Amino acid sequence: FWLKYLLGFLPPRFSPGRFALSDTEAMVRCKKLQKKHKPVKGKKKDKGALKRSSVQHVRDPRLRELWDEKLTTKQNLTKYTLKELYADTLPDPEDIPDKGKERKLCWRDADVVKDLVAKFGEDAAKMARDHKINIYQWSERECRLRVERLKKGLINTEHQENIAGRGLDQEKVLSRKQKQRNEFGH
């Protein structure tokens, strides 16, 4: 509103008396402004030119030896594989271990799994359906994995769980009075 008012584009009924412009005067002023306006012309970029990269930006000595300054960075990097560049430093496939550390069973979970094995043996489907002993509601697959870990003896002690930061006092049940207490002991 104010921009139109200042430029004088508003019809006479909205403008104060002496600044009022008729519709034709406003159109003439608008045309004059359009004639004065010249669009900004930027430099046209040459799309065909490829950006070249210099060797001085390459830190790796092996890649620096093979770097071709006539090619772009992407072309240089796709030209060689890691095996070609670092074949002598990579370990043999036989030396690479197949798996990392196996996950261990928490000592709280081990008690539940022992009870489930005592009642159902190897039947993981029945273990998953028993909601009284299986208080964590593990699925059939989770029950099977936990039974395997129990058989292998992969169990963390309470001390190990505390060191790892997972040993919270989950089993400590607060009495009713302790639950109602606030931070000041009231």
Side-chain angles (χ1 to χ4, degrees):
F1 172 80
W2 286 106
L3 183 63
K4 289 181 180 179
Y5 171 76
L6 292 174
L7 292 175
F9 290 114
L10 290 177
R13 66 176 179 263
F14 292 113
S15 304
R18 66 184 182 144
F19 296 111
L21 294 174
S22 66
D23 290 341
T24 54
E25 289 175 335
M27 286 176 57
V28 169
R29 187 177 282 187
C30 185
K31 289 288 183 185
K32 283 182 183 178
L33 286 174
Q34 285 178 357
K35 284 180 184 178
K36 286 181 184 178
H37 174 70
K38 293 181 181 176
V40 179
K41 293 182 180 178
K43 243 185 187 179
K44 289 188 177 180
K45 294 181 181 178
D46 185 15
K47 292 180 181 178
L50 295 173
K51 289 186 178 180
R52 309 285 179 214
S53 59
S54 62
V55 178
Q56 61 187 350
H57 297 296
V58 181
R59 293 184 182 173
D60 186 49
R62 292 184 187 179
L63 192 57
R64 186 178 280 199
E65 292 170 10
L66 301 169
W67 197 264
D68 186 6
E69 290 207 21
K70 295 178 182 175
L71 300 176
T72 63
T73 306
K74 185 177 181 181
Q75 291 169 343
N76 271 314
L77 292 175
T78 55
K79 191 174 180 182
Y80 304 105
T81 63
L82 287 175
K83 274 190 176 181
E84 292 173 3
L85 291 173
Y86 307 107
D88 55 334
T89 57
L90 291 174
D92 293 330
E94 298 117 16
D95 296 341
I96 300 172
D98 294 336
K99 290 184 179 179
K101 286 184 177 180
E102 284 195 83
R103 291 187 63 189
K104 290 187 175 183
L105 196 60
C106 174
W107 61 275
R108 288 186 197 95
D109 297 348
D111 294 338
V112 175
V113 173
K114 286 175 187 174
D115 294 342
L116 287 170
V117 169
K119 186 170 182 180
F120 300 109
E122 297 292 319
D123 194 2
K126 288 182 181 177
M127 289 181 193
R129 285 190 296 250
D130 186 6
H131 61 87
K132 289 184 180 177
I133 300 175
N134 184 4
I135 57 173
Y136 299 113
Q137 296 184 350
W138 295 321
S139 65
E140 185 178 340
R141 181 178 178 274
E142 289 172 325
C143 289
R144 193 175 350 99
L145 289 173
R146 283 178 168 78
V147 168
E148 289 173 8
R149 290 179 194 152
L150 182 70
K151 284 182 181 178
K152 290 180 184 177
L154 299 171
I155 301 171
N156 273 342
T157 62
E158 185 176 1
H159 179 67
Q160 289 170 331
E161 289 288 319
N162 287 336
I163 290 173
R166 295 184 298 264
L168 303 173
D169 257 347
Q170 296 174 349
E171 293 193 358
K172 186 175 181 182
V173 179
L174 295 173
S175 66
R176 188 170 184 193
K177 287 181 183 177
Q178 287 175 327
K179 283 183 183 177
Q180 291 175 349
R181 279 187 168 180
N182 62 14
E183 58 190 21
F184 303 108
H186 298 101

